[in-house]
Amino acid sequence: ASIRMQRRAEELETREVESFLYKDTFECFDVPAEFADPQLSPVCKYNVLYPGYSWFILMNQYSDIATFLNVGSIIAMVIYFVTSSDSGSLVTDALIANGKEGQHPAQRALWAITQGAVASALLYTGGTSVMYVYQNVLVVIGMPYTIIVCLMTASLYKMLVQDEVYLRHGIEWHSEAVTDSKTHFAYPIYGGVFDIVEAIISFGKPNPLRGYRGVPAGSAVTFLTSIPLPFLAYARASRSAGDSPGETTFWTAFNAVTFAATVLILLSSLALEEGSLVHVIATVTYICFAGSIMRLRHAFRQRYNILHANIIEDFFCGFLLYPQALAQMTHHASVETPHGDQLEE
């Protein structure tokens, strides 16, 4: 509808129909009777300097019900922002409470008031120009989260399937049968050194229902050393996964070469001109590096009967969190033996 209004306004301008300024901002035209749909009047040209008024300008062309549409739009926007603020305060309250349920309503109201006060202060100090800047920033920041949300759908599907298995066997979530199951790693991919953040945010009182298990000292050392030297932990995990000496040597060398090549190519790109294919080559070598960790994690899971994972998850663990993936495997091998008890599915 807005595109059609813009084209109608441009056509009236070419036909030299007299225009007028609406709110001293928008150039508008009264549609002559001989035009199609003359009741859709006036039509106005879009003004990029005032995008906030564009919706109401579009509604004003429906002269008979323009007031109703404008009032309805305002009510709908108020409901949208109020419910969005309420959802945001609920999420913030749950994060601050460290996942515990049954928070006091006053705590949730405090966060809602705080968010409203921050938004009001931004609008008061910067006016509508600040709002337009934040809109552009939010669009740019929101793009990566679109990819994350797509990946979260796979995670949701996985958890629903796992939940169905537990319900079929009468097992409660976070029960001993689940947390001590041999079909899991000794700690999850978000555990280990990341539990340090959990302990700090909770002021030393982490919620056990969130899977907090503390930070094993050896795991923290492996994590830190694997950042610059991943092949050291890779060799240990490869032997634990049951690889033969020849396989361990080959894949450890492949892991070391691809990682070193990625680092060297990225360093050399600093001295090259923009537009070269160096970053593409570095991406390919890093994907090969992550692929070697994917192969190792898949073989490791098969030997230790860790069934609650898949090869896609193995790849992204190696691609995004390779030090954590290596530390997770070496720690599991140090506390568990191969062919442990398996949760029957």
Side-chain angles (χ1 to χ4, degrees), residues 66-297:
T67 302
F68 171 77
L69 292 176
N70 285 329
V71 173
S73 299
I74 293 174
I75 294 174
M77 284 188 287
V78 169
I79 293 174
Y80 171 77
F81 283 111
V82 169
T83 53
S84 298
S85 177
D86 181 67
S87 301
S89 60
L90 174 63
V91 173
T92 305
D93 188 28
L95 292 174
I96 295 301
N98 202 24
K100 297 179 181 178
E101 299 180 355
Q103 301 90 350
H104 198 281
Q107 182 175 328
R108 182 174 171 183
L110 173 63
W111 288 111
I113 294 172
T114 303
Q115 291 173 359
V118 171
S120 300
L122 289 173
L123 289 175
Y124 178 78
T125 56
T128 55
S129 59
V130 172
M131 181 178 65
Y132 300 143
V133 171
Y134 274 98
Q135 285 178 344
N136 296 329
V137 171
L138 290 176
V139 169
V140 174
I141 295 177
M143 284 299 296
Y145 283 95
T146 303
I147 302 175
I148 295 176
V149 170
C150 293
L151 296 176
M152 287 176 63
T153 57
S155 177
L156 177 62
Y157 173 77
K158 175 184 173 183
M159 295 302 295
L160 290 175
V161 172
Q162 187 170 325
D163 186 49
E164 192 274 334
V165 173
Y166 291 155
L167 288 175
R168 191 167 67 242
H169 291 272
I171 300 175
E172 297 289 338
W173 274 97
H174 304 295
S175 64
E176 184 177 352
V178 174
T179 55
D180 292 343
S181 173
K182 304 303 181 181
T183 60
H184 297 271
F185 278 103
Y187 62 77
I189 195 68
Y190 55 82
V193 294
F194 296 136
D195 279 339
I196 297 175
V197 180
E198 178 79 12
I200 293 175
I201 294 178
S202 62
F203 297 100
K205 297 181 179 180
N207 187 355
L209 295 180
R210 292 170 62 90
Y212 179 83
R213 296 178 177 84
V215 184
S219 179
V221 173
T222 302
F223 179 90
L224 295 175
T225 56
S226 295
I227 296 176
L229 304 171
F231 51 89
L232 298 179
Y234 190 97
R236 285 188 292 156
S238 179
R239 289 190 293 268
S240 300
D243 289 342
S244 65
E247 291 175 329
T248 299
T249 301
F250 172 80
W251 285 110
T252 301
F254 181 85
N255 180 270
V257 170
T258 52
F259 181 79
T262 302
V263 174
L264 292 175
I265 292 172
L266 290 177
L267 291 177
S268 64
S269 66
L270 300 177
L272 299 177
E273 297 180 357
E274 295 184 2
S276 61
L277 298 178
V278 172
H279 292 89
V280 177
I281 300 174
T283 302
V284 172
T285 56
Y286 187 76
I287 290 176
C288 294
F289 166 77
S292 67
I293 296 180
M294 175 193 70
R295 182 214 67 87
L296 173 61
R297 198 169 189 264

Side-chain angles (χ1 to χ4, degrees), residues 9-75:
E10 292 175 351
E11 182 180 355
L12 291 174
E13 185 180 27
T14 58
R15 297 194 180 193
E16 298 182 353
V17 176
E18 185 177 356
S19 64
F20 63 93
L21 287 180
Y22 180 78
K23 293 186 176 296
D24 298 327
T25 303
F26 291 86
E27 185 180 6
C28 300
F29 304 84
D30 287 320
V31 181
E34 63 269 16
F35 271 65
D37 298 326
Q39 66 274 18
L40 297 182
S41 178
V43 293
C44 303
K45 296 180 65 175
Y46 182 73
N47 191 330
V48 295
L49 299 179
Y50 299 92
Y53 295 102
S54 299
W55 173 259
F56 298 101
I57 294 297
L58 176 63
M59 294 298 102
N60 282 339
Q61 69 174 324
Y62 302 95
S63 54
D64 295 336
I65 57 174
T67 302
F68 171 77
L69 292 176
N70 285 329
V71 173
S73 299
I74 293 174
I75 294 174

Side-chain angles (χ1 to χ4, degrees), residues 323-343:
Q324 179 73 337
L326 294 171
Q328 184 188 48
M329 287 185 285
T330 55
H331 174 71
H332 188 87
S334 66
V335 298
E336 300 289 347
T337 55
H339 308 295
D341 296 331
Q342 179 177 338
L343 180 65

